[in-house]
């Protein structure tokens, strides 16, 4: 039944010609993404596997979106998925990894936390033959030898560049930027450093401050930090760039009361709340959206390759800039989900026609 469903999925969607090169991804992050540029070949479905997804914090919409994509793909592959929520606590995540080393699932996926922080636990999993993959589990996409079969994310430097370019183009006069980051995550630090480099190359721009605020404690810490920033910088604070939309979930009251003219931009992940806020013109002007459901399917494909003893695909998605004019109505209910046929493409790999 699963195989029949997959074949129907392929027949009703994207047709992938054998050997046809993947089309190039548009360089403009605001362009609609309508063509598949990912892998065309790989191993057939490795069905019946047990996979654990360890979420850094299910309050993070990016992590939830990736899990939903993996869950969808996992049903097609007949996998048993277990979801565990770390609730932003390292001790919980460490406990989950130690439990996985005892119970030996086929694979563990790290959802939104840095693999290097848990190196001893991960190495015990690898020694036991458990496949470990990650989403936003390092500072760059691709394999991390001795830790991860592969790490999945958009190109973090491209995301930071897209955000900085948007900020620079949004205003002709002086620009003063506050950067919000969370140094617990390597990918967040990489994005922040790149955004800072881009802004420092602009003569009209000044990085006023880099604020290191834990995503797990944004609600408690941000109001006082915003007040202090306004007291220090006043009207010279024109823009913010945050590494996650969560900062702007909590910035509305303190910033609106003090300095509503600040244009807030996020480097990820294109949450429902952020898109609704942008559409309504409330305290946020742009988000760099990641294709979260696609990343979940990509996780499934990379795991399928590992189960089959094949190398990772090395596929890296590019960021997509969402502003008020480019947010489609459908995104407000399902999130940013490119119409590039990725479900059909992966199904065609896993269940090839003979």
């Amino acid at each position: 039944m699963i195989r029949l469903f997959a074949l129907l999925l392929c027949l009703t969607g994207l047709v992938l010609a054998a050997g046809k090169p993947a089309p190039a991804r548009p360089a403009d992050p605001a362009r609609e993404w309508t063509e598949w540029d990912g892998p065309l070949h790989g191993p057939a479905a490795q069905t019946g596997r047990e996979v654990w997804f360890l979420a850094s914090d299910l309050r993070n919409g990016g992590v939830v979106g990736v899990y939903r994509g993996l869950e969808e793909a996992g049903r097609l592959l007949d996998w048993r998925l277990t979801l565990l929520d770390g609730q932003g606590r390292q001790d919980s995540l460490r406990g989950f990894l130690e439990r996985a080393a005892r119970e030996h699932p086929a694979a563990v996926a790290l959802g939104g936390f840095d693999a290097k922080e848990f190196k001893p636990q991960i190495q015990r999993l690898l020694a036991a033959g458990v496949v470990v993959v990650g989403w936003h589990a390092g500072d760059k996409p691709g394999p991390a030898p001795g830790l991860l079969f592969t790490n999945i994310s958009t190109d973090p430097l491209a995301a930071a560049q897209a955000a900085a370019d948007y900020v620079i183009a949004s205003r002709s006069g002086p620009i003063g930027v506050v950067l919000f980051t969370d140094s617990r995550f390597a990918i967040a630090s990489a994005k922040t450093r790149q955004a800072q480099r881009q802004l420092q190359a602009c003569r009209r721009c000044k990085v006023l401050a880099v604020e290191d605020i834990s995503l797990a404690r944004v609600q408690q810490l941000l109001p006082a930090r915003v007040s202090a920033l306004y007291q220090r910088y006043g009207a010279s604070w024109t823009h913010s760039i945050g590494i996650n939309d969560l900062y702007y979930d909590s910035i509305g009251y303190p910033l609106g009361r003090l300095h509503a003219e600040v244009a807030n931009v996020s480097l990820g992940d294109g949450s429902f709340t952020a898109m609704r806020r942008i559409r309504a013109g409330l305290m946020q002007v742009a988000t760099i959206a990641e294709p979260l459901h696609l990343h979940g399917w990509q996780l499934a494909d990379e795991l399928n390759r590992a189960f089959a003893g094949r190398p990772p695909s090395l596929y890296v998605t590019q960021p997509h800039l969402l502003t008020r004019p480019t947010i489609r109505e459908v995104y407000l209910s399902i999130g940013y989900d490119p119409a590039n046929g990725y479900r059909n493409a992966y199904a065609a790999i896993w269940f090839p026609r003979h």
Side-chain angles (χ1 to χ4, degrees), residues 82-296:
T82 298
L83 172 63
L84 298 168
D85 181 10
Q87 298 180 331
R89 297 176 53 182
Q90 286 203 330
D91 58 340
S92 296
L93 295 169
R94 190 171 292 108
F96 294 152
L97 289 165
E98 291 169 353
R99 177 180 157 194
R102 295 191 300 270
E103 299 188 22
H104 293 92
V108 170
L110 314 184
F113 60 95
D114 196 340
K116 289 180 181 177
E117 297 294 318
F118 302 90
K119 186 174 180 178
Q121 291 79 20
I122 291 172
Q123 289 184 331
R124 282 197 288 273
L125 284 174
L126 297 177
V130 178
V131 176
V132 183
V133 296
W135 178 81
H136 283 202
D139 62 354
K140 59 185 177 181
L147 278 178
L148 300 173
F149 177 74
T150 196
N151 179 48
I152 291 171
S153 76
T154 57
D155 181 341
L157 303 187
Q161 182 167 338
D165 287 348
Y166 175 82
V167 166
I168 293 167
S170 70
R171 180 185 173 98
S172 58
I175 292 172
V177 184
V178 172
L179 299 170
F180 292 107
T181 192
D182 185 341
S183 62
R184 296 177 305 152
F185 303 108
I187 192 169
S189 297
K191 288 179 176 181
T192 301
R193 287 193 300 268
Q194 180 65 13
Q196 195 167 7
R197 282 193 292 266
Q198 291 290 117
L199 292 166
Q200 287 170 341
C202 164
R203 292 184 179 181
R204 296 181 293 111
C205 304
K206 183 177 182 180
V207 176
L208 302 175
V210 179
E211 297 293 315
D212 189 357
I213 301 176
S214 165
L215 289 172
R217 300 190 63 204
V218 165
Q219 288 182 325
Q220 297 96 323
L221 299 178
L222 196 65
R225 201 72 64 91
V226 165
S227 296
L229 287 165
Y230 179 69
Q231 291 299 317
R232 184 171 182 181
Y233 299 112
S236 62
W237 179 10
T238 64
H239 293 76
S240 306
I241 297 178
I243 53 92
N244 194 283
D245 293 310
L246 283 171
Y247 291 106
Y248 307 134
D249 291 351
S250 302
I251 208 169
Y253 172 71
L255 191 57
R257 178 172 55 86
L258 295 169
H259 188 23
E261 291 74 24
V262 174
N264 295 305
V265 178
S266 171
L267 285 172
D269 303 302
S271 70
F272 297 129
T273 305
M275 287 190 282
R276 294 187 186 110
R277 195 161 46 228
I278 293 165
R279 278 280 292 264
L282 298 173
M283 301 307 300
Q284 188 171 352
V285 295
T287 183
I288 306 297
E290 296 201 61
L292 301 172
H293 278 72
L294 188 162
H295 281 173

